[in-house]
């Protein structure tokens, strides 16, 4: 059996821990582009082309009531006005070895606001630069 605990996934932005997740997918991180592309010439020759784009994006989905929303909103507002909303984005799986690090990141925009008869969410999208993703694993327990 491999352990998983949503509370052991620790994303943060600009020293703000993000932990009041909505139900479902609450953190998603990916590179903007593939690392390599395949080009095939008219004669069938194949070239493997490196794409040097180490940018990416992260989406963190919080409950609408989460106090982090007010902190992120203040940062996004300051960034729109002054350009000073840049910070480090990271995410670590404490029970495993998966890690994400972007030393220069920012909030793309304030989330869309909607209300429904049920749980409301706020999906924060971050642009990431110099992105490093280590897809790890966790140690089995009870084996």
């Amino acid at each position: 059996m491999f352990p998983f605990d949503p509370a052991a996934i620790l994303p943060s932005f600009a020293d703000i821990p993000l932990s009041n997740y909505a139900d479902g997918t609450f953190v998603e991180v990916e590179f903007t582009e593939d690392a390599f592309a395949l080009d095939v010439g008219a004669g069938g020759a194949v070239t493997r082309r490196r794409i040097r784009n180490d940018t990416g994006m992260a989406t963190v989905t919080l409950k609408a009531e989460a106090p982090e929303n007010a902190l992120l909103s203040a940062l996004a507002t300051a960034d729109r006005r002054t350009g000073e909303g840049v910070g480090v984005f990271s995410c670590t799986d404490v029970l495993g070895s998966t890690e994400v690090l972007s030393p220069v990141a920012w909030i793309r925009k304030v989330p869309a606001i909607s209300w429904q008869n049920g749980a409301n969410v706020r999906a924060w999208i971050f642009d990431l630069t110099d992105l490093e993703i280590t897809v790890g694993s966790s140690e089995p327990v009870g084996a």
Side-chain angles (χ1 to χ4, degrees):
M1 174 180 73
F2 293 93
F4 175 75
D5 181 354
I9 308 301
L10 305 177
S12 70
F13 172 65
D15 294 323
I16 300 171
L18 308 172
S19 62
N20 288 291
Y21 314 125
D23 193 25
T25 301
F26 53 89
V27 178
E28 187 172 13
V29 181
E30 66 181 335
F31 282 101
T32 303
E33 293 186 80
D34 295 340
F36 293 90
L38 182 119
D39 295 322
V40 180
V46 174
T47 302
R48 179 179 183 238
R49 179 174 43 90
R50 168 80 164 99
I51 300 172
R52 297 192 178 275
N53 182 351
D54 290 331
T55 64
M57 67 177 270
T59 304
V60 179
T61 306
L62 302 174
K63 294 167 57 174
E65 307 80 27
E68 298 97 315
N69 288 315
L71 299 171
L72 293 173
S73 184
L75 268 176
T77 298
D79 198 24
R80 271 195 330 276
R81 293 181 179 157
T82 67
E84 296 181 11
V86 174
V88 174
F89 181 92
S90 66
C91 187
T92 302
D93 178 358
V94 176
L95 295 178
S97 56
T98 296
E99 294 185 349
V100 173
L101 177 65
S102 172
V104 180
W106 55 88
I107 297 167
R108 182 179 294 176
K109 66 178 180 178
V110 173
I113 304 298
S114 65
W115 289 275
Q116 63 182 358
N117 187 16
N120 293 289
V121 301
R122 304 293 180 253
W124 292 90
I125 299 174
F126 301 88
D127 284 321
L128 312 174
T129 66
D130 298 322
L131 178 58
E132 295 179 23
I133 298 176
T134 301
V135 179
S137 62
S138 59
E139 294 295 319
V141 292

